[in-house]
Amino acid sequence: MQLPPAVQQELARRRLSTTGRARAQGGAGERPSRAKGAGLEFADHRPYAPGDDIRALDAQVTARLGTPVVREYVVHQQLPILVVLDASASMTTGTPAKFALAQQLAAALAYAGLSGGDSVQAVTYGTAVHTSGRMQGVNRATELLGFLGRARPGGTVTLHDALRHAAASAPRGALVVLVSDFLADTDPQGIAHAHSRAQEVLAVQVLAPDELDPAPLGRGLTRLEEPEGHASVSVVLDDASLGAYRRALEDWNAALRGQLARHGGRLVQVRSDQAVQHLILRDFLARGIIR
């Protein structure tokens, strides 16, 4: 799987942003961490302790205070990132179908993680849950994007099932990027798994235009089919039913947005008829998702 050249070139000098809940915590990276040690960026002084490197002693401060004091520096580490792609049957619905854009966005955000010096792991779910290894460095981009590119939509595995295992294996304080339509009843429970591990969630919701507004489907008796449970129902599309649908979707997304915001997360909604170039190069940069 390949990204459009313009997207790849822009992401090569960017990285994913966080709201502050996720934290750098391992490896040699480019993000300031809470750890202190050897480095170039001064952080603070602290009293000397047996075993400290005497080269860290601050002679001037030690002389002024009359007690040994060492200099501490900011340690730059990697942010652990988990990118989760919904490849269930619901992503085949809508016009155009949602999966193609969801797959491209997951790949672009994973690439941004690698180019930003972070460690990235990917998960896809649909017929089963598939997990990649954890990767660092843009030299692993072909492997990681290949993993995401092999996903095919279908099946009934839920976000709740995928995150019950994937979020538990990701470190506490990781950034969890979810790309899905978030229309399953159990999706809020899946998000709660990440929150329970103090993980920051960036939720990218991909919806088709006719899911946002079914009015173009016409009026009168219509048969709706559920792609994952193979159930169907006949409804009459009129002003009342269309209005009720729009209110239900707004209420559902407002509840998701509220759940995420309470834990430092974000919900970003995109349409399946939008181009990945436009979303990455304009919308995501403007919203501060990528910096």
Side-chain angles (χ1 to χ4, degrees):
M1 179 178 185
Q2 292 185 333
L3 294 172
V7 172
Q8 188 166 325
Q9 290 170 10
E10 183 66 31
L11 292 179
R13 58 190 184 92
R14 303 284 182 174
R15 67 182 181 189
L16 294 176
S17 69
T18 74
T19 62
R21 185 178 178 89
R23 64 183 188 274
Q25 54 189 277
E30 301 178 13
R31 296 179 187 261
S33 69
R34 298 177 184 177
K36 302 295 185 292
L40 298 176
E41 183 180 341
F42 174 73
D44 202 356
H45 289 101
R46 65 168 175 80
Y48 173 84
D52 284 340
D53 189 337
I54 60 173
R55 291 174 295 182
L57 283 169
D58 190 314
Q60 292 183 344
V61 176
T62 296
R64 186 169 66 248
L65 298 180
T67 184
V69 172
V70 297
R71 294 169 63 92
E72 289 190 312
Y73 296 86
V74 175
V75 175
H76 288 75
Q77 296 181 311
Q78 298 168 350
L79 174 69
I81 298 173
L82 182 68
V83 177
V84 182
L85 171 63
D86 183 352
S88 65
S90 73
M91 299 300 286
T92 65
T93 62
T95 306
K98 298 169 284 189
F99 182 72
L101 178 61
Q103 191 175 41
Q104 290 178 313
L105 286 172
L109 296 172
Y111 185 86
L114 293 178
S115 66
D118 295 316
S119 64
V120 183
Q121 185 175 32
V123 173
T124 64
Y125 66 93
T127 55
V129 179
H130 301 283
T131 306
S132 76
R134 183 161 292 279
M135 305 181 195
Q136 302 92 31
V138 290
N139 61 317
R140 304 293 299 278
T142 300
E143 182 180 354
L144 186 58
L145 269 59
F147 170 84
L148 290 167
R150 287 190 292 274
R152 296 293 180 268
T156 60
V157 176
T158 65
L159 177 67
H160 176 249
D161 293 330
L163 278 185
R164 186 171 52 189
H165 303 290
S169 64
R172 294 182 65 85
L175 174 63
V176 179
V177 179
L178 309 178
V179 186
S180 173
D181 56 12
F182 298 103
L183 294 180
D185 292 341
T186 57
D187 285 351
Q189 299 172 35
I191 293 171
H193 278 295
H195 291 157
S196 69
R197 292 186 52 77
Q199 293 163 342
E200 180 183 326
V201 176
L202 169 61
V204 181
Q205 183 184 45
V206 182
L207 293 178
D210 49 9
E211 290 176 325
L212 290 165
D213 183 9
L217 296 177
R219 302 299 177 99
L221 186 64
T222 303
R223 189 174 188 82
L224 303 178
E225 296 184 356
E226 204 284 310
E228 295 181 5
H230 305 294
S232 62
V233 62
S234 296
V235 298
V236 175
L237 292 182
D238 54 21
D239 289 342
S241 60
L242 290 171
Y245 172 85
R246 294 188 189 102
R247 289 191 297 272
L249 181 61
E250 290 173 1
D251 290 346
W252 174 257
N253 284 339
L256 277 178
R257 190 173 288 107
Q259 179 189 12
L260 289 161
R262 286 192 297 274
H263 297 275
R266 294 163 288 175
L267 176 66
V268 180
Q269 187 182 92
V270 303
R271 291 165 40 127
S272 64
D273 61 349
Q274 292 178 285
V276 67
Q277 296 96 318
H278 175 89
L279 290 170
I280 294 297
L281 301 180
R282 295 184 57 182
D283 289 8
F284 281 29
L285 283 173
R287 297 183 187 190
I289 295 169
I290 298 170
R291 291 180 180 168

